[in-house]
Amino acid sequence: MILDIQREELLISQLADLLKNDKHVAVGAASPIPGAAALLAKEEAKFLNKRLRVTILHSNKYNNFTDGARELFDCAAQGRIDTFFLGGVQIDGQANINLVGTGEYPKIKKRFPGSFGSALMYFVVPQIILFREEHSPRTLVKKVDFISAPGVSERGVYRPGGPKYLLTNSALFKFNKNLQKFSLFKINEKETVKNLIKVTGFDFDVDNKISQMSNPDTNRINILRNEIAPMVSEFYPEFANRIWGI
C-alpha cells in the first residue's frame, strides 16, 4: 500500500528520528511540527520500554510548568532538557540565528517578535535542532543581519549546548562544531545537491554518507494520524485541522 505522505508528516518523522536517545524534549512557541515530532517520539519510546518526557509550552496537557518560560529556562540551565528547537528569520552558515529583524540594526526594515530566551537555550541545551520550513537564500543567508543567538563561541567559553542539526523542507544538515560549518546529511527525494547549493545562501559540505529523507512507514503514519494528531489538536487546533482534518 502506497501512502500519500504530506510534507509536514515527512518533517515530523525526520525530527522524531533525532529524539530517540532523549529523556526530556522541550518545545517552545509556534512549533506544531516539532511538538508533533516530540509526541511521536514519546509514543514510540513506549514500545522500547523507555520513558520520554515532553514539555510543550503552548499546551495545557503536556506542560507541567506553572510559571511559563521561567521554569523552562531554570530546567534547561540545570541540564535537565536534552533537546530544544530554535528557528529564525535568518540562519547563517555558522548557525547564528536572527529573530529580531532584517536590515541594518538598529534601523531595521522589518521587525519580528524578538529573541526571548533563545541565547540562553542555545548555550545550555545539549542538542539544539534548528528548524525552518522555508529553504531559500532569503532565510538561509551567508551572514545574519542581527545575531539573536550565536551558533559558535570562542574557546574558554562554557557552553555545554549548541546546534546539532538544521532541518528544512528540502534538507537535513549536521553542524560541525570544530569546522563551524554545516554538512548536508539528508536530502528530500525531490531535490538535488546542485539545486540546494543554488538556494542556500551559505556554503556547506556534503556528507560522504548522504542519503534521501525516508518517508515514515505505515506503522508510524498510523500512530501519527490516529494517536498524535488528536494530541496536537489540543494545542495547535488550526494546524491539526489543516493537516489531518481534526
Side-chain angles (χ1 to χ4, degrees):
M1 178 181 179
I2 300 176
L3 295 174
D4 183 16
I5 307 297
Q6 298 195 63
R7 173 180 55 83
E8 291 83 358
E9 292 176 322
L10 172 63
L11 297 177
I12 290 168
S13 180
Q14 292 298 311
L15 289 177
D17 286 340
L18 304 179
L19 309 176
K20 290 182 176 181
N21 297 319
D22 290 349
K23 294 182 180 179
H24 186 188
V25 176
V27 182
S31 304
I33 290 177
L39 290 173
L40 176 61
K42 175 183 174 70
E43 193 68 19
E44 291 182 335
K46 296 177 182 178
F47 299 112
L48 301 174
N49 293 318
K50 293 183 178 181
R51 183 177 180 182
L52 173 61
R53 178 185 176 188
V54 172
T55 298
I56 300 175
L57 286 188
H58 270 188
S59 171
N60 292 321
K61 187 175 182 180
Y62 306 102
N63 180 11
N64 292 322
F65 297 138
T66 58
D67 195 18
R70 184 184 303 180
E71 287 180 285
L72 173 72
F73 297 152
D74 286 346
C75 189
Q78 292 167 20
R80 296 192 289 121
I81 295 177
D82 299 303
T83 295
F84 191 71
F85 302 88
L86 287 174
V89 178
Q90 296 173 325
I91 301 171
D92 68 22
Q94 284 194 307
N96 298 312
I97 63 173
N98 174 12
L99 291 162
V100 170
T102 55
E104 188 174 349
Y105 188 86
K107 296 181 179 180
I108 56 179
K109 297 177 182 178
K110 192 169 184 179
R111 177 79 187 189
F112 292 91
S115 305
F116 295 103
S118 59
L120 170 67
M121 301 299 280
Y122 219 0
F123 271 72
V124 299
V125 177
Q127 176 168 261
I128 294 291
I129 300 176
L130 301 177
F131 177 66
R132 180 67 196 258
E133 291 182 71
E134 179 183 344
H135 192 128
S136 73
R138 185 182 72 147
T139 58
L140 305 183
V141 299
K142 186 174 183 180
K143 184 179 180 180
V144 296
D145 293 342
F146 182 91
I147 299 178
S148 293
V152 296
S153 301
E154 296 179 358
R155 289 186 178 181
V157 174
Y158 177 70
R159 185 173 185 173
K164 291 295 187 293
Y165 297 96
L166 164 62
L167 178 66
T168 72
N169 282 336
S170 301
L172 176 63
F173 296 90
K174 283 183 177 179
F175 188 73
N176 188 309
K177 183 179 179 180
N178 295 324
L179 297 178
Q180 299 186 6
K181 194 175 186 181
F182 284 107
S183 177
L184 181 61
F185 180 54
K186 289 187 178 182
I187 188 171
N188 190 300
E189 62 180 4
K190 298 178 181 179
E191 273 289 357
T192 64
V193 174
K194 182 179 180 179
N195 186 62
L196 283 177
I197 293 173
K198 182 180 178 181
V199 298
T200 306
F202 55 75
D203 295 331
F204 57 84
D205 294 329
V206 178
D207 195 281
N208 56 10
K209 296 182 180 180
I210 186 172
S211 62
Q212 287 188 344
M213 292 181 183
S214 57
N215 284 323
D217 60 24
T218 303
N219 185 55
R220 175 171 273 188
I221 280 292
N222 287 335
I223 295 173
L224 182 57
R225 294 176 180 177
N226 298 325
E227 304 294 334
I228 306 305
M231 299 179 188
V232 175
S233 67
E234 181 261 328
F235 52 94
Y236 286 114
E238 292 184 4
F239 177 84
N241 182 58
R242 177 170 60 86
I243 304 305
W244 296 296
I246 295 179

